[in-house]
């Protein structure tokens, strides 16, 4: 936009706002308003006609090209993998020669069909898409004229409002008289310019609508017959396909089941199809034992994923119920280097008698649960709680099953940990 256009736009802004909110005097021509509405519909429908006809042209081309590529992909799957390092029996001829021949026949038929339909597709381009392009160019020119008419109307209403304001002023100074003279000249010029564009569009737009009907009728008829030719050619050629690989006497589903046979069961029986990447034990994966780990342990603590899938819990806390691991007895609490706190507690003798009951006001507050770590645990993921043997952990949340993840707090840090790594106090 030029500087002159910019200044005109700024000058017209107040009148644009008045027109939008219907303030003051605004010129309204019912004949032009109706013609402008019909023109806007014509513009919208022409754009739609151009877009949809182009999409149809691309869809027919794309459909046939996709059929060719589909045939190539199936033929590639049918080809043997002989000569490749991944094929241990590369000397043995494999593959599906009948299927490959069927794909080649199908591809040649579709290519033939594409060549046959090419003249029809070119006619869609020349008789539908190109005329719609030309009509859009004409509509753009008319739209510019309608825009100029809108600007001239704003100027016309603006100058009339200024002239009326000066005319209704009771006491006019010399400056007001000069402004009045200039306003009259501006109104006269704006009236001429507005009437020129307004009358031009009111006269020419109805002619455009008549020509539009004459343009659309043959266009639609041509498009209709071209569609018939395309579909008739497709149907006739596809009906005449006689590829022995396909059994067209059977129902589609029945033919599919017959061709498939027991391939599905054979594929599902392959071990690789039953492979599971998660849920099983991972040998050699687990937290590293710390310095205070229990002596005599022959296996590392389970990882976070394996904690819930253990065949047996980790070595117990008490020595009296120690299980057998690989024929050898696991060492219990009394033989662990990390259980010195327990030995010291035993050396002190019997535990003192419990204190007197708390007052009723305090007894309603449940005491925090704690547990003592039986093993070292190193965090395996974000949100885990690390600790070493002998740490006292405050239990924040736990379940009745010790083979699940509990939430606790130690040394001011909160996190999750395996419940079978601790013993409740």
């Amino acid at each position: 936009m030029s500087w002159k256009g910019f200044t005109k736009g700024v000058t017209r802004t107040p009148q644009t706002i008045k027109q939008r909110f219907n303030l003051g005097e605004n010129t309204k021509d019912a004949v032009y308003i109706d013609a402008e509405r019909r023109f806007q519909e014509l513009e919208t429908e022409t754009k739609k006609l151009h877009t949809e006809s182009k999409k149809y042209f691309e869809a027919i081309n794309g459909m046939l090209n996709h059929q060719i590529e589909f045939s190539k992909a199936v033929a590639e799957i049918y080809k043997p993998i002989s000569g490749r390092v991944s094929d241990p029996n590369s000397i043995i001829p494999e593959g599906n020669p009948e299927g490959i021949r069927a794909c080649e026949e199908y591809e040649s038929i579709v290519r033939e069909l594409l060549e046959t339909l090419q003249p029809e597709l070119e006619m869609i381009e020349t008789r539908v898409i190109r005329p719609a392009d030309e009509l859009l160019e004409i509509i753009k020119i008319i739209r510019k004229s309608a825009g100029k008419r809108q600007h001239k109307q704003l100027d016309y209403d603006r100058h009339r409002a200024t002239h009326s304001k000066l005319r209704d002023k009771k006491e006019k100074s010399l400056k007001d008289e000069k402004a009045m003279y200039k306003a009259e000249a501006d109104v006269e010029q704006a009236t001429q310019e507005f009437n020129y564009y307004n009358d031009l569009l009111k006269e020419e737009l109805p002619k455009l609508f008549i020509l539009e009907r004459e343009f659309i009728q043959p266009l639609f008829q041509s498009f209709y017959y071209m569609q018939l030719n395309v579909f008739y050619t497709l149907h006739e050629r596809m009906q005449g396909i006689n590829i022995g690989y396909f059994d067209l006497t059977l129902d589609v589903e029945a033919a599919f089941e017959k061709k498939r046979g027991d391939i599905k069961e054979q594929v599902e029986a392959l071990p690789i199809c039953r492979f599971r990447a998660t849920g099983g034990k991972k040998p050699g994966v687990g937290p590293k034992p710390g310095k205070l780990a229990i002596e005599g342990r022959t296996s590392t603590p389970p990882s976070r994923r394996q904690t819930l899938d253990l065949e047996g819990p980790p070595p117990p806390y008490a020595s009296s119920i120690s299980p057998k691991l690989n024929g050898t007895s696991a060492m219990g609490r009394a033989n662990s280097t990390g259980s010195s706190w327990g030995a010291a507690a035993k050396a002190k003798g019997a535990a003192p008698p419990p204190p007197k009951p708390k007052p009723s006001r305090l007894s309603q507050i449940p005491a925090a649960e704690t547990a003592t770590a039986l093993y070292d645990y190193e965090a395996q993921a974000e949100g885990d709680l690390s600790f070493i043997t002998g740490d006292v952990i405050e239990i924040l949340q736990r379940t009745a099953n010790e083979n699940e993840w509990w939430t606790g707090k130690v040394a001011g840090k909160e996190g999750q940990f395996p419940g079978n790594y601790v013993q409740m106090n």
Side-chain angles (χ1 to χ4, degrees):
M1 180 185 290
S2 63
W3 176 254
K4 184 178 179 181
F6 176 75
T7 54
K8 284 185 178 181
V10 173
T11 306
R12 292 169 180 152
T13 299
Q15 186 60 36
T16 304
I17 296 173
K18 290 180 181 179
Q19 186 184 66
R20 181 169 297 178
F21 293 99
N22 200 21
L23 303 174
E25 293 185 8
N26 295 301
T27 303
K28 293 182 180 180
D29 190 330
V31 177
Y32 174 78
I33 291 173
D34 181 66
E36 204 275 337
R37 177 186 58 79
R38 291 180 60 190
F39 175 71
Q40 189 171 2
E41 292 175 357
L42 171 64
E43 184 179 18
T44 303
E45 294 304 322
T46 305
K47 288 179 180 178
K48 189 175 180 181
L49 172 66
H50 173 266
T51 302
E52 296 303 325
S53 57
K54 192 172 183 180
K55 285 181 180 178
Y56 178 80
F57 173 79
E58 293 172 351
I60 297 295
N61 267 312
M63 178 186 68
L64 297 174
N65 288 324
H66 287 320
Q67 285 177 284
I68 293 172
E69 295 301 322
F70 175 82
S71 178
K72 288 181 179 179
V74 175
E76 185 66 24
I77 293 173
Y78 281 157
K79 287 180 182 178
I81 55 175
S82 303
R84 300 179 184 176
V85 179
S86 61
D87 184 9
N89 301 318
S90 58
I91 302 174
I92 303 173
E94 294 179 354
N96 186 350
E98 295 84 3
I100 295 173
R101 280 197 298 272
C103 290
E104 291 173 350
E105 290 180 36
Y106 180 78
E107 183 180 343
S108 65
I109 290 171
V110 177
R111 288 190 183 279
E112 244 176 66
L113 190 57
L114 185 59
E115 292 177 4
T116 305
L117 289 176
Q118 202 60 38
E120 296 292 337
L121 296 175
E122 289 177 359
M123 287 178 65
I124 295 176
E125 174 72 28
T126 56
R127 295 191 181 182
V128 180
I129 299 176
R130 195 176 301 166
D133 278 335
E134 294 172 357
L135 181 57
L136 280 176
E137 292 299 323
I138 295 172
I139 288 175
K140 286 180 182 177
I141 296 172
I142 298 174
R143 174 55 65 188
K144 287 183 180 179
S145 298
K148 287 183 179 179
R149 185 257 178 205
Q150 178 66 16
H151 293 160
K152 299 305 177 184
Q153 179 183 339
L154 292 173
D155 292 339
Y156 174 65
D157 292 338
R158 178 167 59 88
H159 290 310
R160 277 201 312 151
T162 304
H163 180 265
S164 298
K165 186 178 179 180
L166 291 172
R167 184 187 59 196
D168 296 340
K169 196 172 183 181
K170 294 180 179 180
E171 296 181 1
K172 299 182 181 66
S173 61
L174 181 60
K175 184 178 180 181
D176 293 335
E177 292 293 341
K178 291 181 179 179
M180 182 73 176
Y181 177 77
K182 184 178 182 303
E184 288 176 353
D186 290 340
V187 168
E188 185 177 355
Q189 183 179 358
T191 303
Q192 291 177 359
E193 292 177 352
F194 169 69
N195 287 336
Y196 170 77
Y197 284 101
N198 189 57
D199 294 340
L200 175 67
L201 290 171
K202 285 197 299 183
E203 182 180 354
E204 298 296 332
L205 283 178
K207 296 179 182 179
L208 176 67
F209 300 145
I210 295 173
L211 294 174
E212 176 228 348
R213 286 196 296 269
E214 295 179 359
F215 169 79
I216 290 295
Q217 185 176 354
L219 188 70
F220 178 69
Q221 188 173 356
S222 298
F223 189 63
Y224 173 74
Y225 282 114
M226 283 184 283
Q227 277 186 320
L228 284 182
N229 289 337
V230 168
F231 290 129
Y232 177 76
T233 306
L234 284 171
H235 180 266
E236 185 182 26
R237 193 68 187 91
M238 288 299 174
Q239 282 290 101
I241 288 180
N242 186 17
I243 300 176
Y245 187 74
F246 305 115
D247 188 359
L248 302 179
T249 60
L250 296 176
D251 182 66
V252 175
E253 294 184 7
F256 172 75
E257 294 295 339
K258 181 181 176 182
K259 278 286 183 185
R260 185 176 71 170
D262 62 341
I263 293 298
K264 181 181 178 182
E265 290 74 14
Q266 293 182 33
V267 171
E268 290 178 348
L270 294 175
I272 194 172
C273 295
R274 300 195 304 272
F275 178 76
R276 296 177 61 189
T278 60
K281 291 186 177 181
K282 297 182 181 178
V285 179
K288 299 179 181 179
K291 295 181 179 180
L292 301 178
I294 297 178
E295 295 179 358
R297 283 173 56 195
T298 58
S299 62
T300 59
S303 67
R304 177 171 183 172
R305 183 180 295 281
Q306 295 171 328
T307 303
L308 303 181
D309 298 329
L310 288 172
E311 296 178 0
Y317 178 74
S319 60
S320 60
I321 57 172
S322 297
K324 299 273 187 177
L325 297 176
N326 299 327
T328 60
S329 177
M331 302 303 292
R333 172 184 175 185
N335 296 329
S336 67
T337 57
S339 59
S340 57
W341 57 272
K346 285 186 176 182
K348 292 182 180 180
K356 294 180 180 180
K358 295 180 180 179
S360 57
R361 181 176 60 86
L362 300 176
S363 61
Q364 295 177 359
I365 303 175
E369 290 185 308
T370 59
T372 303
L374 301 178
Y375 311 98
D376 293 353
Y377 179 71
E378 183 180 350
Q380 302 295 307
E382 186 178 355
D384 286 2
L385 181 66
S386 300
F387 51 77
I388 60 175
T389 305
D391 280 351
V392 177
I393 303 168
E394 181 182 349
I395 305 299
L396 302 179
Q397 184 180 359
R398 70 180 181 90
T399 62
N401 186 0
E402 66 176 9
N403 289 323
E404 294 181 353
W405 289 88
W406 295 359
T407 304
K409 181 178 180 182
V410 63
K413 294 183 179 180
E414 295 183 10
Q416 292 183 332
F417 62 91
N420 54 4
Y421 271 49
V422 301
Q423 183 178 27
M424 294 298 298
N425 294 332

